[in-house]
Amino acid sequence: MLESARLGAHAGRGRRRRPAPRRRGAAGDAARGAARAPRAHAATGGLPMRRIATIAAVLALVLGAGLYALAQQQVDEAKRERVVSVAGVKYHVLPATLETTQWGWLDPKEPPKLVINSGDIVAIETMMHAHNRIQPGTTMDELVALRKANPGGGPHSVTGPIYVNGAEPGDTMEIRIRKIVPKAFGTNFHLPGKEFPTVGLLAPEFPNGFVRYFYLDWERRQAEYKPGIVIDLQPFPGIIATGPDPNEPKEKAGPPIRDAKGRTSTLRPWKNGSNMDLNELQEGTTLFLPVFHKGALIWTGDSHCRQGNGEVNLTALECAYREIVIQPIVRKDLKIEWPQVETATHWIVMGFDEDLDEAMKIAVRNGIKFLSEQQKLVPLSRDEAYSLMSIVGDCRVTQVVDIRKGVHCMIPKSIFVKKS
Amino acid sequence: MLESARLGAHAGRGRRRRPAPRRRGAAGDAARGAARAPRAHAATGGLPMRRIATIAAVLALVLGAGLYALAQQQVDEAKRERVVSVAGVKYHVLPATLETTQWGWLDPKEPPKLVINSGDIVAIETMMHAHNRIQPGTTMDELVALRKANPGGGPHSVTGPIYVNGAEPGDTMEIRIRKIVPKAFGTNFHLPGKEFPTVGLLAPEFPNGFVRYFYLDWERRQAEYKPGIVIDLQPFPGIIATGPDPNEPKEKAGPPIRDAKGRTSTLRPWKNGSNMDLNELQEGTTLFLPVFHKGALIWTGDSHCRQGNGEVNLTALECAYREIVIQPIVRKDLKIEWPQVETATHWIVMGFDEDLDEAMKIAVRNGIKFLSEQQKLVPLSRDEAYSLMSIVGDCRVTQVVDIRKGVHCMIPKSIFVKKS
């Protein structure tokens, strides 16, 4: 989920504290507990009391989290002992805490939370949006207030960065997605179009907000949407990123790409991956991302448990992961400009642009380049590659709600046969 | 295949005749034979002799076809006896001849070639493009000349119209596609981008033309693209249409939608279907089209044997059909505004617009309407339908080369389960 309007002007309202609602959740309860404070009368200022109370509660949570963090002993996260043995194989485990996650921004100066070698295996936990504050029971008013509480940044919580020894700018980071297991709860919502007219494909036609929560039955790999409608779970990370591209072009729409601190918003996809929302990126697939920073700096978040191509109302079946197990491999032998994916059956090329027509062109150019330059199974001219993209390249609308829209084209491996 | 540049200015060149090249083909040979005429010197006018010769040859074919048609006995095509029995079932058979096909235009005043009742079965033959003149061996110069020979019209040959008794404007025509068997040859080509800079997604990047011909092995359902690359055949009609929408909006790009005779170009898709290029429309699927004219008036052509979503270089694996067997059913009980498709596993909604972003919006609106108003399995609000489109609606780029681009969204039937 994704696009944020410019709402900084609203973020300062109603700073007085009010008790935060106590909710059950796998993580983040400590932060919420710390935010509890004596009840106080809220200034009205013409706003409905309920809205003010909600905003105040959210701000209290934010402030509380900060105080809580300060109160902790300062430890270098990268130096914690997080290696375990799993059937004789070394696993790094990276829990999602307020120290190992960030809300809505990728900062190349963020100290690494884990340092690994190329080929190491990492099991990563992720949070729900807004530092785990979006949980079953969160109201639309709270969703709106949370969206306004982090202006310009994405709603996503991202775990990382992970520093990979030996990775240098210009290399390619191969990231094998070995396993994904979701936590038990999910949500889908759209924000009120009357207040967020550019957030969601048809926002002006849906003036009111909508939210629903789901129980994710991982034994059946299903969630009931409502009686009579059941959704198969197909988890994939909405965001998986290397450190931001220093040459990322300036925004053509939406809030600024970078803030004053030099952090890059998680709202958009770009060459470093980030908010790609590519639903093919499931267990068993491999992602290739260009490296722009020493150590590559890998993050993941915006965990999804099912999403259609388009993600039209703004959100997928948003969830969090008990674990996503990845194996990052530094590739010195491969140079790519845009993200690529390999599945058991397809190679996938991508394009991102504010204009879907332009995103389509970028994706198809990447497909032509892949077929005529990168793959070595059968030599192909550029004309042949263009022709093959037309006959078998399957181009889909990745998403239209992340400001920079996405198109991905799937090239079937099955067309390549042994010469007889 | 599809978009045509405004090339009317070139069509008048070099009117003198030259012998037409004799080619082998299942149909159209008679027309070609009739076009043979004594050799004459061609005026140069600064054009290369080879180009002039090609244009002259094409015009000779066109004129020849006209003369040939005039020479025939005038018979009302709709009154020919074209009913056969197949295992006790009545089949109408409609061969593709110069009398039963048109090149590039849908004319609601075109006399029907067949009159059937709702529920009747029809086996239809189709031609290759340009009244069957594109065949293995056709050169790029000939392809270019053929494109210029029918300004504003599509390159497609369409068989029809078929008049369905009882169909009235406002009804829906359900068309069950029961069987498709291709003829033996196929082609893929892109026109030279330097001459057709808007034809094909990346035309300016491919200044030279490209053409390749294929043998279609129907026993294996495969075609060899080149040694080491084999393509599975998945035939579907690029064009299947009811009579044109009298309220079709004026063109936003490309040549005029209608010519002076009131015929509608086959270049674009619209509410009556036409050049949809929807690769899901294979054997076993059902298409639903709004009816705009008494008798519905069904055409099909632009036969494809495989196409990726996007059809980016302009053409699919273009072919012709030995037969496409359809069963049209008049639906008085169903009102739709845009084409819909039902497959064994999905409902498909569509949107067409010059702007892919807008096409996406139309398709998603149609999906929301389908889920919240049309399907009756589980009642859904508009908010729920928007949400479900986001979670499971799979939106793909149908094509980007028919001036009006297309997006289709696939809604899986499997989400609807029996209530327990």
Side-chain angles (χ1 to χ4, degrees), chain B residues 298-314:
Chain B
I298 299 173
W299 280 271
T300 186
D302 189 29
S303 304
H304 289 167
C305 278
R306 178 74 184 263
Q307 182 205 291
N309 282 311
E311 203 190 17
V312 296
N313 89 333
L314 173 66

Side-chain angles (χ1 to χ4, degrees), chain B residues 24-26 128 134-136 182-187 213-217 305 317-321:
Chain B
R24 303 278 163 208
M128 294 289 281
I134 297 184
Q135 292 288 348
K183 295 179 183 175
F185 310 136
T187 184
Y213 295 97
F214 306 100
Y215 172 70
L216 310 179
D217 181 341
C305 278
L317 176 36
E318 312 279 317
C319 59
Y321 295 154

Side-chain angles (χ1 to χ4, degrees), chain A residues 129-169:
Chain A
H129 291 307
H131 265 150
N132 235 5
R133 288 189 193 91
I134 297 184
Q135 292 287 348
T138 303
T139 65
M140 183 49 60
D141 282 350
E142 288 170 321
L143 290 173
V144 167
L146 284 165
R147 187 67 165 210
K148 293 176 178 175
N150 190 18
H156 325 98
S157 308
V158 287
T159 308
I162 298 167
Y163 184 102
V164 186
N165 287 320
E168 298 286 343

